[in-house]
Amino acid sequence: MTYNFDEKTNRWGSGCYKWDSMPAEDVIPMWVADMDFRVAQPIIDALNRRVAHGVFGYTKVPERYYDSVISWYSRRHKWHIEREWMMYTSGVVPALSAIVKALTVPGDGVIVQTPVYNCFFSSIRNNGCHVVEAPLRRVPVAGDEGLFTYEMDFDALERACSRDRAKLLILCNPHNPAGRVWKAGELQRLNDICLKHGVRVVADEIHCELVMPGYEYTPFASISDSALDNSITCCSPSKSFNIAGLQMSNIICNDEATRQKIDRAININEICDVNPFGVEAVMAAYDECEDWIVQLNGYISDNYAALRQFFKAEMPQLKVSLLEGTYLVWVDIAPTGMTADALTDRLLSEGRVMVNSGTMYDEGAGNDYIRLNLACPRSQMMEALRRISKVINNR
């Protein structure tokens, strides 16, 4: 089936957090990480069949659900997951919070590689732990002065892991907002350092299907037996298939004792129940929608190419991150002389575009960045970029 990602869907008045949080209908949202594309038709069909049944009581997750997840990861990523390794819950952020609760005590340290997804910070602090930063290292992209990317700073990681009370590292793979799809060698070296210091890896792999042509996602737990034994993986089709509102995710862990601790924390946090629509959507996505995700990634890649061309022509003073994965672009706005928060406010008030301030993802260095969401019809993205350019260039 061929999908038309240029088609616009009016999301105003649908209870949509991304759009209905805007102060007026003339604002274009390029902030919160969901997509403005209609979901794949098999998902809609599956949900319609479930609605037609007419009864929506408490949900028992069927064995077919586990089969769908296992088959998907085996086909797409050559990672074999055993049925008993899997636990479900309502979302990756609740899963992360439950894992931190299960495997730490207040006062422990949890390592993050900044800049990084803002909810990592709250999941750590809400459980009485403290954030230990192992900042990524920004590097230029050879042959293109307008691009930069990030690499792991293994010396910083070694220092962070050697702290007495560092117990966990939350890995973002692929990385939000840096746009990196970590290579197997990078993941293996990270695991070696964590094993050396007794730090367990919690891999947030929610963006794992959003990978640009020429790059390949590697599940952290798949790189070696030691990585599997030393990790817990959190995954969901919610970002990739635009079904975040249906609230369904999985925790994958091969150690029974650890699973029992996590299950206890899930129940303490009261996040053990899921809704029937999330279950149906996951099965439809993994069983019937591979063609949709392939076409989506091609469209996002083309959006990124159009954005790069626009920046070179209209805002050459600004550099953007190399996009290997996700649909989120990290933009260096230091040449404007404005802070991220100040520019974000101006883009909203003057440009009528909503973006994310980089301070959400790095409380220090994030002050020089904003984050843009490209998962929308190209005409909408280009209009937003034109508005941003007018503010940046004081037109």
Side-chain angles (χ1 to χ4, degrees):
M1 182 175 182
T2 300
Y3 291 94
N4 179 16
F5 295 102
D6 287 318
E7 179 185 2
K8 289 187 176 181
T9 299
N10 183 3
R11 301 184 69 188
W12 277 100
S14 65
C16 166
Y17 185 75
K18 181 179 181 180
W19 284 83
D20 288 339
S21 299
M22 297 298 93
E25 292 191 20
D26 65 336
V27 177
I28 300 176
M30 297 186 78
W31 64 309
V32 67
D34 74 11
M35 298 189 276
D36 290 329
F37 307 125
R38 283 173 60 85
V39 303
Q41 191 61 44
I43 297 175
I44 296 173
D45 294 342
L47 295 178
N48 281 334
R49 289 192 296 269
R50 188 64 185 85
V51 168
H53 181 262
V55 181
F56 315 116
Y58 294 116
T59 300
K60 176 177 172 58
V61 176
E63 284 303 309
R64 182 191 152 207
Y65 174 90
Y66 300 97
D67 293 341
S68 296
V69 176
I70 290 168
S71 176
W72 178 267
Y73 276 88
S74 178
R75 293 195 321 270
R76 290 274 295 181
H77 308 301
K78 306 299 186 292
W79 181 30
H80 180 70
I81 300 168
E82 299 289 345
R83 161 68 179 84
E84 61 268 21
W85 298 353
M86 295 176 58
M87 296 175 282
Y88 61 80
T89 187
S90 57
V92 165
V93 172
L96 292 173
S97 293
I99 293 166
V100 174
K101 180 185 289 292
L103 302 182
T104 66
V105 297
D108 283 345
V110 180
I111 301 164
V112 295
Q113 295 172 292
T114 51
V116 77
Y117 178 47
N118 52 296
C119 285
F120 287 5
F121 301 108
S122 57
S123 292
I124 294 166
R125 291 168 177 153
N126 288 345
N127 283 290
C129 295
H130 63 271
V131 175
V132 179
E133 293 193 31
L136 300 173
R137 181 188 293 118
R138 174 176 159 167
V139 294
V141 174
D144 196 325
E145 294 183 356
L147 282 178
F148 63 91
T149 189
Y150 285 89
E151 60 186 21
M152 293 189 187
D153 185 333
F154 293 107
D155 290 335
L157 183 61
E158 185 93 42
R159 290 191 296 271
C161 287
S162 66
R163 294 181 60 161
D164 288 342
R165 298 197 64 176
K167 295 296 190 296
L168 300 176
L169 179 145
I170 303 181
L171 171 71
C172 200
N173 176 39
H175 193 281
N176 167 22
R180 277 299 315 277
V181 178
W182 301 116
K183 296 177 181 178
E186 294 171 302
L187 297 175
Q188 184 62 63
R189 189 169 176 188
L190 179 145
N191 187 58
D192 291 343
I193 293 171
C194 288
L195 281 173
K196 175 182 174 182
H197 296 283
V199 173
R200 183 168 287 187
V201 176
V202 183
D204 174 357
E205 302 192 347
I206 196 170
H207 293 275
C208 67
E209 306 306 332
L210 299 163
V211 176
M212 299 300 98
Y215 298 95
E216 182 178 358
Y217 152 72
T218 302
F220 179 83
S222 75
I223 59 174
S224 64
D225 289 342
S226 64
L228 175 64
D229 293 341
N230 194 46
S231 66
I232 303 100
T233 298
C234 301
C235 58
S236 170
S238 60
K239 295 291 185 196
S240 305
F241 291 93
N242 207 26
I243 53 174
L246 299 181
Q247 297 188 319
M248 193 78 198
S249 71
N250 298 298
I251 300 170
I252 302 170
C253 176
N254 73 327
D255 181 70
E256 182 179 1
T258 302
R259 289 198 305 272
Q260 290 176 353
K261 292 178 182 178
I262 296 170
D263 183 67
R264 170 75 174 157
I266 286 172
N267 283 274
I268 290 172
N269 286 0
E270 302 290 0
I271 53 170
C272 51
D273 290 322
V274 293
N275 76 74
F277 304 109
V279 175
E280 294 294 334
V282 170
M283 293 188 295
Y286 284 158
D287 291 346
E288 303 177 64
C289 299
E290 191 166 357
D291 59 343
W292 189 88
I293 200 71
V294 170
Q295 292 175 50
L296 170 74
N297 283 336
Y299 190 87
I300 292 172
S301 178
D302 289 345
N303 265 5
Y304 177 67
L307 174 140
R308 288 280 295 115
Q309 186 175 11
F310 186 90
F311 266 75
K312 286 181 179 179
E314 302 295 335
M315 295 180 283
Q317 69 273 39
L318 304 187
K319 296 181 179 180
V320 302
S321 58
L322 176 65
L323 191 66
E324 299 178 358
T326 81
Y327 47 73
L328 306 164
V329 175
W330 192 235
V331 182
D332 181 352
I333 53 94
T336 68
M338 288 182 279
T339 66
D341 290 344
L343 179 57
T344 298
D345 289 344
R346 281 193 61 186
L347 289 175
L348 179 59
S349 61
E350 300 175 23
R352 313 307 284 166
V353 178
M354 179 69 173
V355 304
N356 288 115
S357 169
T359 56
M360 296 177 63
Y361 313 100
D362 189 325
E363 295 174 350
N367 204 38
D368 289 332
Y369 299 87
I370 59 173
R371 192 189 76 169
L372 304 181
N373 178 347
L374 306 187
C376 61
R378 191 159 305 129
S379 60
Q380 177 180 308
M381 181 192 75
M382 296 307 297
E383 173 58 25
L385 293 178
R386 285 189 287 269
R387 295 183 186 189
I388 291 171
S389 176
K390 288 180 179 179
V391 174
I392 294 292
N393 295 315
N394 295 310
R395 293 175 181 167

